[in-house]
Amino acid sequence: MLLMILLAPPSIANAQYPGAEPLDWPCEQRLIPVLAWGSLWDGPSPDALEQQWWEDEEVGAVVRYATARETPRDAAIARVRRFAESVASGQQSVDQNPEQRLTLLFAGLFERIDRERSRVIAIIRSAARAQVARLDRMSMMIDRLEALNASETASEDAIERLQEALYWERQTFRMRQQALPAFCEKPYLLEESLSRMVRDIRSQM
């Protein structure tokens, strides 16, 4: 338990009650493993669509561009907005209900962003477990170092090697710990981007 307290912020380290965050979630943000489309979308049900989002080539192209990891956030949002406006204004040549196409657009964006968000959450939880394992190794190394220092037969080389190994474990731990807050922001940023896209789509329906 001490290892988890060292690793996690107080809100996580003290999570010992039913319904609390799992111990491998090191973020201050609440863990929501998967999104529910109904929490973001009050339009027509994507479940009632008669085709998949990728079957509409133009919708598919917009979804893939907007959800690609290399696409800047603002560019992704702007691309969705322009497409939604063009569908609503009848500029698209496809003979299809605009509301249905915009619902397809939402379905594709939701599916891809929720999948990416789940991937990031899995990485964060894996990193948190790795940090706990690293603390365990450091604890064992400290115990071993104390035993060597107390031994009259231990060699200086053995002590120095262990001290160096412990130093690098500590350095790695600090660097990984400093990187966690930035990772913790990513699920929220993905959800916020999706929310902005949804608002732009709904404004055209």
Side-chain angles (χ1 to χ4, degrees):
M1 184 57 63
L2 175 61
L3 297 179
M4 289 309 306
I5 292 173
L6 290 173
L7 173 63
S11 60
I12 305 302
N14 295 329
Q16 302 301 314
Y17 303 99
E21 304 288 4
L23 291 177
D24 64 351
W25 181 246
C27 306
E28 294 182 4
Q29 298 88 339
R30 180 188 172 196
L31 173 61
I32 303 175
V34 294
L35 297 175
W37 64 259
S39 66
L40 298 165
W41 177 259
D42 61 354
S45 171
D47 297 333
L49 291 169
E50 296 180 355
Q51 67 179 136
Q52 301 296 328
W53 60 266
W54 61 82
E55 294 175 339
D56 184 316
E57 292 186 6
E58 291 176 329
V59 168
V62 173
V63 168
R64 292 185 184 94
Y65 174 82
T67 59
R69 293 174 197 166
E70 63 271 17
T71 301
R73 183 168 179 256
D74 288 344
I77 293 169
R79 182 70 183 91
V80 169
R81 183 186 304 116
R82 289 196 304 271
F83 183 75
E85 290 172 350
S86 69
V87 170
S89 65
Q91 296 176 22
Q92 297 295 324
S93 59
V94 176
D95 184 18
Q96 192 173 9
N97 185 323
E99 185 175 87
Q100 181 174 335
R101 295 195 78 199
L102 292 177
T103 304
L104 279 175
L105 177 61
F106 164 73
L109 293 170
F110 179 84
E111 178 184 317
R112 299 258 298 190
I113 290 176
D114 189 44
R115 185 190 308 160
E116 174 65 9
R117 185 178 172 280
S118 295
R119 185 190 72 87
V120 171
I121 287 173
I123 291 173
I124 293 171
R125 298 181 73 173
S126 176
R129 291 191 294 270
Q131 286 292 79
V132 173
R134 184 166 285 109
L135 281 173
D136 281 334
R137 288 196 299 273
M138 288 163 57
S139 179
M140 289 187 290
M141 292 167 76
I142 290 170
D143 290 343
R144 175 62 177 158
L145 187 59
E146 290 177 350
L148 287 177
N149 284 325
S151 172
E152 297 180 357
T153 60
S155 69
E156 288 297 324
D157 285 346
I159 292 174
E160 289 179 4
R161 285 196 299 271
L162 186 54
Q163 286 175 332
E164 182 177 4
L166 179 58
Y167 169 81
W168 287 113
E169 282 287 347
R170 283 172 169 161
Q171 290 295 99
T172 301
F173 177 85
R174 291 192 187 100
M175 288 189 294
R176 300 286 169 81
Q177 199 70 2
Q178 289 169 357
L180 275 176
F183 271 105
C184 286
E185 286 292 320
K186 288 187 176 182
Y188 166 78
L189 291 175
L190 286 167
E191 185 175 351
E192 202 273 337
S193 293
L194 178 58
S195 295
R196 288 183 59 182
M197 294 175 186
V198 167
R199 287 196 296 270
D200 288 335
I201 296 170
R202 289 294 286 137
S203 70
Q204 301 300 322
M205 296 176 72

